[in-house]
Amino acid sequence: MPNPPLGNLTAEQFLADYWQKKPLLIRQAVTQFDWLPELPDLLALAEQEDVESRLIEQKQGRWTCESGPFRPSRFKKLAEADWTVLVQNVNHHIPFAAQLLYRFDFIPHVRLDDLMISYAPAGGGVGPHFDSYDVFLLQVGGKKRWRISSQTDLTLVEDAPLKVLQHFEHEQEWVLEHGDMLYLPPRYAHEGVALEPGQTWSVGFRAPTAQELGGAFLDFLRDRIELDGIYTDPGLTLPADPARLHADFVRQVAGMLQGIRWDETIVRDFVGRYFSEPKAHVFYDGPDDDLGEAKFAKAVAKQGVALDLKSVMLFDDEHIYINGDTLEAGQAAHAVLRQLANQRKLPPGKYEESVLAALYECYNYGYLQLGAG
């Protein structure tokens, strides 16, 4: 599959001129589809317990939003128009969706989030809105009119279940047909309305807030800090106000808390674990075949391995991270494991014992499968 899906632009040109700077329309960005789902295929995904999905409707000018999984009978009640079904993390379930997502690896894997598919009949949409992250919007089947604006007024409709803009004044407008793609930087107002029944495949990126990272980092530290000492007050005197928080008490607590320290090494470990950690609804299934290490090594030599579609694998100079944890392997194995992280698969071949031990551990956890695809 050719890379990247940027038309006549190179990845370097795109990053220099467009990424987080200005929108870009790419005609016929993706022309080959090994998987083209129909509406029943998407609805079947939305009915599954391990799939995040939403159903958005607009009735008499009011928006409603329901979260899946859905019963099949729910979709029989839909009107002819004014609704949209959204299915997230399709890359976790469909190999072609995962392949397409990783065609965007000119952006580091740590920033890639998911490939979401939305389906809308003619007239369907989710209203004018903005995203806090970069997004590529790929049209698959049908036609959709996109209007965009660089407006700074991002006031939202009050009490709406969606982030719908109160005031939207578009500056540019295009009709996207099958294979066309629109890139939008963060906080760029946009509205898409289906002119014909069709799908939008959205490639989104992780852009956590400082508040989100701060809370997660404090949780991370809580399991790792080791503070010495215990509160003591041998010089305690009779208090005039027993309920008052005495300054000496507060001062001693503050001194004890000053023992909480972190450095770049700790932050790097947090980043590797946090950004590879699976979402709450993601689970892994171990292999059906109980292969011993020797048989596993022979199978790898013949078939190679590939990461599970749901697996996230990252690395730095010292560590290999997979699905929220470190993969213990000697430095001699790191070159091959980094290749696995970058390419998400390893070709058939004979690998040294330290590599095979790490692969075997991942295999038993369900983090990878035999066969390089």
Side-chain angles (χ1 to χ4, degrees):
M1 184 178 288
N3 280 306
L6 295 172
N8 295 325
L9 289 178
T10 66
E12 291 81 3
Q13 289 172 323
F14 172 78
L15 293 174
D17 297 336
Y18 294 95
W19 178 254
Q20 298 207 332
K21 301 176 184 69
K22 59 183 178 181
L24 174 66
L25 174 65
I26 307 167
R27 295 292 185 186
Q28 295 301 284
V30 179
T31 56
Q32 179 183 342
F33 289 81
D34 296 340
W35 178 69
L36 271 175
E38 302 289 340
L39 176 59
D41 300 315
L42 298 178
L43 298 186
L45 282 172
E47 294 164 11
Q48 296 182 23
E49 289 281 348
D50 60 343
V51 175
E52 290 183 292
S53 58
R54 287 172 290 163
L55 173 61
I56 295 172
E57 294 183 273
Q58 187 180 29
K59 299 178 180 179
Q60 299 177 344
R62 296 183 62 86
W63 295 96
T64 63
C65 180
E66 302 174 46
S67 296
F70 296 96
R71 294 182 177 180
S73 58
R74 177 64 184 90
F75 299 116
K76 296 178 181 179
K77 303 175 183 179
L78 294 175
E80 293 185 2
D82 296 332
W83 56 270
T84 301
V85 172
L86 304 99
V87 182
Q88 294 190 225
N89 294 111
V90 179
N91 51 290
H92 285 181
H93 307 278
I94 305 297
F96 176 73
Q99 293 169 16
L100 180 59
L101 175 66
Y102 284 99
R103 288 182 65 183
F104 291 82
D105 65 359
F106 52 91
I107 307 300
H109 288 185
V110 71
R111 290 276 270 118
L112 283 177
D113 192 1
D114 77 331
L115 187 145
M116 179 183 73
I117 296 181
S118 64
Y119 176 95
V126 296
H129 64 284
F130 68 93
D131 298 312
S132 298
Y133 49 85
D134 304 83
V135 65
F136 289 89
L137 303 165
L138 174 65
Q139 184 68 23
V140 178
K143 297 180 180 179
K144 195 167 195 175
R145 183 189 67 221
W146 285 99
R147 292 173 172 171
I148 69 171
S149 173
S150 60
Q151 66 188 62
T152 56
D153 181 1
L154 300 178
T155 307
L156 301 176
V157 175
E158 293 184 5
D159 300 325
L162 305 172
K163 294 182 178 180
V164 180
L165 291 168
Q166 273 193 10
H167 312 288
F168 177 64
E169 297 182 5
H170 73 277
E171 300 166 348
Q172 294 175 279
E173 176 180 326
W174 300 284
V175 173
L176 271 63
E177 301 185 17
H178 179 71
D180 296 341
M181 186 170 69
L182 177 62
Y183 162 74
L184 294 175
R187 302 177 71 82
Y188 223 94
H190 54 285
E191 179 185 35
V193 177
L195 304 180
E196 300 172 355
Q199 303 167 31
T200 298
W201 293 20
S202 304
V203 174
F205 296 84
R206 297 188 68 170
T209 64
Q211 181 71 19
E212 176 186 342
L213 287 175
F217 184 58
L218 291 176
D219 287 339
F220 173 83
L221 285 179
R222 181 169 51 198
D223 297 329
R224 288 162 177 80
I225 57 176
E226 296 182 5
L227 302 180
D228 296 326
I230 187 172
Y231 183 87
T232 60
D233 50 8
L236 186 65
T237 58
L238 185 68
D241 299 310
R244 179 184 295 277
L245 290 173
H246 198 279
D248 288 343
F249 180 89
V250 175
R251 191 176 300 113
Q252 187 176 161
V253 170
M256 295 168 74
L257 294 180
Q258 286 177 0
I260 300 175
R261 302 279 192 223
W262 64 85
D263 56 21
E264 186 174 331
T265 299
I266 294 175
V267 172
R268 185 182 298 112
D269 190 43
F270 161 72
V271 168
R273 294 172 185 270
Y274 179 74
F275 282 91
S276 67
E277 187 173 11
K279 296 179 181 179
H281 69 283
V282 172
F283 298 93
Y284 299 90
D285 297 319
D288 295 329
D289 298 327
D290 186 16
L291 290 181
E293 293 185 51
K295 289 185 177 180
F296 175 76
K298 291 181 180 179
V300 172
K302 291 182 178 180
Q303 304 175 47
V305 296
L307 288 177
D308 184 85
L309 298 183
K310 300 185 291 293
S311 285
V312 177
M313 192 172 185
L314 306 170
F315 63 83
D316 61 20
D317 290 341
E318 302 294 332
H319 303 94
I320 306 291
Y321 297 95
I322 186 165
N323 298 333
D325 207 349
T326 55
L327 184 57
E328 298 301 331
Q331 284 291 329
H334 279 203
V336 175
L337 295 176
R338 289 170 184 173
Q339 179 184 346
L340 174 61
N342 283 328
Q343 301 177 6
R344 298 189 60 80
K345 59 184 179 181
L346 290 175
K350 294 184 178 181
Y351 297 95
E352 63 178 50
E353 289 186 9
S354 60
V355 173
L356 288 170
L359 296 180
Y360 187 62
E361 180 182 355
C362 292
Y363 172 74
N364 284 325
Y365 280 124
Y367 294 168
L368 57 76
Q369 287 88 37
L370 291 166

